[in-house]
Each structure stands twice: as structure tokens, then as C-alpha cells.
């Protein structure tokens, strides 16, 4: 027994520090590993009204410098830049941009993290700024290989769940070619569905775990059809849904109608919202943001 204990100790000692200290996801609870479960969310005292009233009048018309304003503790700012790109910013100043295309506006900001998906060129760039510390591609080095990200920055943990790219326009399908990225920060679990082409499997739902906030493509054509997207979001039952990747008012209207029976609907009238555990609405809510490029004052 002593020899076995010594051998185990030697193996652990030989492992890299990162392997020993890999932080577990707080968004995945043991109870949520069972396929088919609907995840439960703790209700808060804040209703949908508090979500948007707290920030009325804090954005400039036609643009914003929301990436420079100080944030309260345990708060995350989500700014809808364009198409499928969002800026996430923490109280400590960490920044991440989703589905990064190489341009986020007239700003000198260099994000700490960018994520990308390559189903279409409007979701990635082959030449990201070399000054960006962490560039996370949502696909693997080999076709169909997928990728496994687990980036721990202390204040923020970024991980991914791979899904398949399915071409409806004569191209080749690519297993594990898309990634749903999850950002764990300030006690929140924030998911970006990327260029989702199919309803996630039970295993993928389990791997995602709880998503308090989800950014969802609602075009209904290039990505998941609207009926399937609505069903996916109702299964996730996130506290806040942020529609993205839309091309017309028609798809937005159809999406709104499909969600209105179970979700409150809020037109934010601004490109961003601030979210914390304390201000999550007590009823699942769809929040429509107005996209705006980042701009330095």
C-alpha cells in the first residue's frame, strides 16, 4: 500500500500545474447530468422592469463607450456589437468578444479573449490581432476533430461545447465544427450558441449545464430553424435570452411570437445591459438589444 501511495504521489507531482489546478465548472451540477431535465433557476426579487430601468439614459445615441465605464462588483456588461459579436466586460476589466471578425468598431480596445466559429466568414477571421492574448477557435485543427477549451483567467472561466455544422446549401457537413462558448463569471453562466445548426443532444445539454444568460441566433434560416430554436431556448429556460444573428424584422417578429407565451419580452432600446445574480429577472425574459459598434470617446 505504501508503494502504491508513493507511486500515485509521484504521478501527481509529475503532472503540469495547470492539470492539477483545472477549475471545475460551477454551471454544471451533478443533478443536471441526467438527460432531459429542465434546469431550475433561483428566483430573485428583481423582475424584468429592474433589468432595464437601472440603465435608462446611460448610453449615447449612435454609439457608446460602454467598454470603459466602471462596473459594480459581481456585474457583467454585455454589449451587442453586431451580427453575432458581443463584448463581455467584468468588474475587474477583463474583456471577451464572441464570434470575432477582426473589427469591433472605432476603438483601441484589445480584448483579452476572442472566440470564433467558422461556419461563415462573418463569425471569424483568419488574421486576428496578434496582440490579443487568447484566441479561441471553435473548431479543431483537423476536420471534424472538434476542440476542448478550458481557459481559466481567475475572474472568468471560458469553456466550450462542440456541435455540428450542417450545410443546407450544398456544402460539406462538419462534425464538431461549431462551438457553444460558455463564460463563467461573477457567479453567472453566460452562453453564446454560435452558428448553431441543430438542436443539442441530451449529452450536449448536460455539458452546457445551467445558462443564466444565452445569446441565440434567430435568423431561422442560416442557423437553426425558428421552431427548433424556440424549443431549445425553452428547454434551457435561461433567465435572460439575447437574440442575435437576425436579418429582418420578420424573423424577429416570429421569434418574439414564439417565445411570448413563456418569456417576458423587453425592448432595451440600447446596445447593452448590465447583469448580476442579484438582478436576474424572476421570470425568463427575452431582451432585444440594438447593436452598435464600440467607440472610444
Amino acid at each position: 500500500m505504501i508503494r502504491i501511495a508513493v507511486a500515485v504521489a509521484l504521478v501527481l507531482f509529475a503532472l503540469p500545474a495547470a492539470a492539477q489546478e483545472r477549475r471545475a465548472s460551477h454551471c454544471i451540477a451533478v443533478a443536471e447530468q441526467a438527460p432531459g431535465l429542465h434546469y431550475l433557476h433561483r428566483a430573485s426579487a428583481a423582475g424584468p422592469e429592474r433589468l432595464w430601468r437601472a440603465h435608462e439614459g446611460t448610453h449615447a445615441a449612435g454609439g457608446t463607450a460602454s467598454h470603459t465605464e466602471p462596473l459594480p462588483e459581481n456585474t457583467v456588461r454585455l454589449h451587442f456589437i453586431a451580427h453575432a459579436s458581443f463584448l463581455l466586460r467584468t468588474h475587474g476589466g477583463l474583456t471577451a468578444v464572441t464570434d470575432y471578425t477582426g473589427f469591433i468598431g472605432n476603438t483601441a480596445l484589445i480584448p483579452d479573449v476572442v472566440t470564433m466559429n467558422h461556419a461563415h466568414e462573418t463569425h471569424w477571421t483568419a488574421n486576428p490581432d496578434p496582440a490579443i492574448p487568447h484566441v479561441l477557435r471553435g473548431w479543431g485543427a483537423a476536420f471534424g476533430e472538434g476542440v476542448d477549451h478550458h481557459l481559466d483567467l481567475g475572474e472568468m472561466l471560458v469553456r466550450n461545447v462542440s456541435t455540428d455544422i450542417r450545410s443546407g446549401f450544398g456544402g460539406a457537413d462538419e462534425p464538431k465544427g461549431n462551438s457553444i462558448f460558455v463564460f463563467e463569471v461573477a457567479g453567472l453562466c453566460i452562453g453564446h450558441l454560435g452558428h448553431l445548426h441543430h438542436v443539442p443532444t441530451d449529452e450536449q445539454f448536460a455539458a452546457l449545464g445551467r445558462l443564466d444568460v444565452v445569446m441565440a441566433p434567430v435568423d431561422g434560416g442560416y442557423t437553426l430553424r425558428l421552431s427548433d430554436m424556440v424549443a431549445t431556448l425553452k428547454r434551457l429556460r435561461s433567465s435572460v435570452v439575447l437574440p442575435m444573428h437576425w436579418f429582418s424584422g420578420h424573423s424577429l417578429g416570429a421569434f418574439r411570437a414564439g417565445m411570448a407565451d413563456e418569456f417576458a419580452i423587453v425592448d432595451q432600446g440600447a446596445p447593452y445591459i448590465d447583469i448580476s445574480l442579484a438582478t436576474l429577472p424572476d421570470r425568463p425574459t427575452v431582451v432585444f438589444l440594438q447593436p452598435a459598434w464600440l467607440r472610444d470617446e
Side-chain angles (χ1 to χ4, degrees), residues 76-151:
V76 180
R77 178 162 292 181
L78 298 172
H79 179 117
F80 187 14
I81 299 172
H83 198 53
S85 294
F86 284 79
L87 171 70
L88 289 80
R89 188 163 67 84
T90 71
H91 165 73
L94 279 177
T95 54
V97 172
T98 65
D99 280 23
Y100 178 72
T101 64
F103 181 73
I104 56 177
N106 296 317
T107 175
L109 175 70
I110 302 294
D112 297 293
V113 184
V114 299
T115 64
M116 300 191 296
N117 279 298
H118 73 164
H120 293 286
E121 63 183 6
T122 50
H123 297 259
W124 73 294
T125 175
N127 301 293
D129 190 328
I132 298 171
H134 305 284
V135 177
L136 307 185
R137 294 167 176 82
W139 62 96
F143 184 85
E145 180 179 73
V147 67
D148 179 22
H149 292 297
H150 194 96
L151 177 65

Side-chain angles (χ1 to χ4, degrees), residues 214-282:
V214 62
M215 292 157 271
V218 298
D219 60 280
Y222 290 98
T223 61
L224 198 58
R225 63 184 180 182
L226 279 179
S227 59
D228 287 337
M229 179 57 68
V230 168
T232 296
L233 293 172
K234 287 183 176 180
R235 174 167 175 174
L236 285 171
R237 202 164 178 80
S238 301
S239 294
V240 177
V241 175
L242 302 177
M244 65 172 187
H245 202 272
W246 43 265
F247 300 96
S248 70
H250 175 75
S251 65
L252 280 180
F255 175 73
R256 180 190 292 258
M259 297 290 285
D261 59 334
E262 296 184 23
F263 285 67
I265 306 294
V266 171
D267 291 296
Q268 182 76 349
Y272 67 85
I273 55 173
D274 292 352
I275 298 179
S276 68
L277 282 175
T279 58
L280 286 177
D282 56 3

Side-chain angles (χ1 to χ4, degrees), residues 2 22 37-38 77 83 92 101 138 150 160 162 164 170 178 196 200 203 208 218 243 253 260-261 266 288:
I2 295 176
R22 181 172 171 124
L37 281 183
H38 286 210
R77 178 162 292 181
H83 198 53
T101 64
H150 194 96
N160 74 304
S162 292
D164 300 338
N178 177 73
L196 187 63
E203 292 75 19
L208 287 172
V218 298
D261 59 334
V266 171
F288 288 91

Side-chain angles (χ1 to χ4, degrees), residues 67 103-108 293-297:
H67 57 287
F103 181 73
I104 56 177
N106 296 317
T107 175
W293 300 108
L294 299 182
R295 185 185 70 187
D296 293 339
E297 292 291 351

